Amino acid sequence: MNKDSTTGIAYKSSEVERLLGTSSSNLRKWCMILENEGYEFVRGTNRSRLFYNQDVVVLKRLKELVQIRGMALEGAANALVSLIETEKRTTSVPEANDLEEQHSNVFVSRSELKQIFEKLDAQEQFNKLLLERLEQQQSLMNQQINNRDEQLLGAIRTLTDSHKQIAANLDSPKKGFFARLFGK
């Protein structure tokens, strides 16, 4: 048994189904046939299978042999199991708490942490610059809108004055030639 075969991320059946692009019934059938040939999957506390990277690779190869190359399922499983070294098979059963500890014990080096903070600072500076530019653009747009409004109001006033003058000229009675000439 290889110690590295049970380290790493353990996948649930649904995740493996998604990774392989297959149905739950196909995955179950493939696992049972591999187990009949001697391959052992890690079982969780509720007897469900847990899949490690090596298991996913084996299942991908099985899928390729059966669906792409057209081999019989039993023959493909037998060929795969015979190629896999015994020490690389997953045989131990980790407890659920062990899996949670594996996911919670993530360490980040100081240099990685420093890079993360530098990227965060750069992103904050970029966001500030972007916000300033947006505010400048909004201010410019407001000025242009105010100028347009003033021009429109000026044009409306001019038209209104013209209409008033025309109306005043139409309302006044017309004087004859001599009345206009002598101002009476």
Side-chain angles (χ1 to χ4, degrees):
M1 176 176 80
N2 187 356
K3 183 180 179 186
D4 293 333
S5 65
T6 58
T7 59
I9 298 174
Y11 299 99
K12 296 178 186 177
S13 296
S14 59
E15 294 169 324
V16 175
E17 291 165 17
R18 187 175 39 82
L19 287 171
L20 296 177
T22 190
S23 66
S24 61
S25 61
N26 274 345
L27 181 62
R28 238 185 337 271
K29 179 170 59 173
W30 295 345
C31 291
M32 288 185 335
I33 289 184
L34 284 169
E35 287 172 337
N36 288 341
E37 295 295 329
Y39 191 87
E40 295 181 27
F41 291 97
V42 174
R43 298 271 182 170
T45 54
N46 61 352
R47 300 288 300 148
S48 63
R49 291 180 186 92
L50 296 175
F51 300 93
Y52 289 93
N53 288 332
Q54 179 186 352
D55 300 325
V56 174
V57 170
V58 168
L59 289 165
K60 279 183 185 178
R61 287 183 185 163
L62 181 66
K63 177 183 177 185
E64 178 184 312
L65 289 173
V66 172
Q67 292 182 350
I68 296 174
R69 298 199 181 173
M71 283 183 74
L73 188 56
E74 291 80 11
N78 189 349
L80 277 175
V81 171
S82 65
L83 291 175
I84 298 171
E85 298 172 6
T86 306
E87 67 182 12
K88 290 186 179 179
R89 294 186 198 155
T90 57
T91 56
S92 64
V93 180
E95 295 294 321
N97 293 339
D98 293 340
L99 293 175
E100 290 174 7
E101 287 178 16
Q102 287 178 2
H103 294 296
S104 66
N105 292 334
V106 177
F107 294 101
V108 179
S109 69
R110 288 181 186 250
S111 62
E112 291 172 329
L113 194 58
K114 185 178 178 182
Q115 288 176 348
I116 291 170
F117 282 127
E118 288 173 354
K119 288 180 181 179
L120 184 62
D121 289 340
Q123 185 67 43
E124 285 176 1
Q125 289 175 355
F126 176 76
N127 288 347
K128 286 179 183 177
L129 178 65
L130 191 59
L131 186 60
E132 288 174 5
R133 287 187 181 175
L134 284 172
E135 288 172 351
Q136 289 174 352
Q137 188 176 17
Q138 184 65 37
S139 174
L140 179 64
M141 286 172 52
N142 286 341
Q143 286 176 346
Q144 290 174 343
I145 289 171
N146 288 339
N147 289 341
R148 183 205 59 186
D149 288 348
E150 288 176 14
Q151 289 174 349
L152 284 173
L153 285 175
I156 289 172
R157 284 187 195 117
T158 304
L159 281 173
T160 304
D161 291 343
S162 299
H163 285 276
K164 286 180 183 177
Q165 287 177 355
I166 291 172
N169 286 339
L170 290 176
D171 288 343
S172 64
K174 291 202 173 194
K175 296 181 182 179
F177 174 74
F178 290 110
R180 284 187 306 206
L181 183 64
F182 296 114
K184 292 188 178 182

